[in-house]
Amino acid sequence: MTDRTIRPGPVVPSRVEPVSGVLVHSSADRRLAAEHWLLSTLPEPKQGLRQWRTTGVAMLPLGTLFSAIRLPGRLVLAVIGAHSLPSAEIDTVLEEALGGAPVICDLRHHRYYVLMPASVPTSWREAVDDWRVVDVDALGRGTLLGVPKLSRTEPLPLDTYWSVPMESAAALGAPLTVARFIAAARHLMGAEQP
């Protein structure tokens, strides 16, 4: 007979009582779901994964699941009162001002892209026509958008990153909130209101 030492097993945390009707998903689960959702715009989602691995940015078609509102950097700076891009302060203010809408920053061209419902370019056509005065555009069908992998949340020189990360699949900007942001920018920039 051999002598065996009994070792204590892993410590099991006390039971967490579930709250009725509430599902809790980790941020990793939500990010994975958002990645799958974004890549589902492609006929071959693996193509987008390869682009994320090699360049960090996948070219995704707009107009099926989502569209984008392109904001020039000078417009964003006017609202925020900042003097240069990028800035953690800008990202924080954008997240608050746009109600958590996901925003991509293209530092090379000094532009921000707010991800919106796919219907915005057509359902907000009149507003979009007015916004062109300040170089704002709604991008939809027939347009590709460079979407960084969701882990790119820090600015790098002349690169694209998530200024406001996408928190979960299909979590998009609210058109009225974005329209108010653009109206405030137009006012601050002295653009003529229609």
Side-chain angles (χ1 to χ4, degrees):
M1 189 172 202
T2 60
D3 187 28
R4 292 189 179 191
T5 307
I6 298 175
R7 294 188 180 127
V11 177
V12 178
S14 62
R15 181 166 157 70
V16 176
E17 292 299 319
V19 177
S20 178
V22 176
L23 294 176
V24 178
H25 296 281
S26 71
S27 59
D29 288 343
R30 287 192 314 271
R31 183 168 59 196
L32 185 60
E35 286 175 356
H36 286 287
W37 184 80
L38 287 166
L39 293 176
S40 72
T41 61
L42 293 168
E44 280 295 323
K46 287 182 181 180
Q47 174 190 359
L49 279 174
R50 280 191 300 276
Q51 289 176 352
W52 274 342
R53 270 190 236 114
T54 57
T55 67
V57 176
M59 298 305 292
L60 302 182
L62 299 177
T64 55
L65 295 180
F66 63 96
S67 64
I69 299 292
R70 183 182 62 213
L71 305 171
R74 63 184 169 73
L75 181 134
V76 171
L77 293 175
V79 173
I80 294 171
H83 300 293
S84 66
L85 301 174
S87 155
E89 177 186 338
I90 291 172
D91 297 344
T92 301
V93 173
L94 269 179
E95 182 174 16
E96 186 177 315
L98 296 175
V103 180
I104 296 169
C105 179
D106 173 3
L107 291 172
R108 181 173 306 231
H109 299 102
H110 302 284
R111 294 179 179 152
Y112 288 84
Y113 296 86
V114 185
L115 300 191
M116 304 292 288
S119 63
V120 167
T122 53
S123 62
W124 284 72
R125 186 181 315 264
E126 270 186 57
V128 170
D129 289 342
D130 290 341
W131 296 342
R132 287 196 176 97
V133 172
V134 287
D135 200 26
V136 171
D137 203 1
L139 309 172
R141 283 200 184 276
T143 306
L144 295 174
L145 179 65
V147 176
K149 57 186 172 181
L150 292 176
S151 61
R152 283 180 115 170
T153 58
E154 298 294 325
L156 297 170
L158 300 178
D159 215 341
T160 301
Y161 76 101
W162 287 93
S163 175
V164 180
M166 179 173 249
E167 290 299 320
S168 59
L172 300 170
L176 188 55
T177 302
V178 175
R180 287 179 177 150
F181 182 87
I182 294 167
R186 287 183 68 175
H187 176 74
L188 290 169
M189 293 174 71
E192 206 174 272
Q193 294 288 352

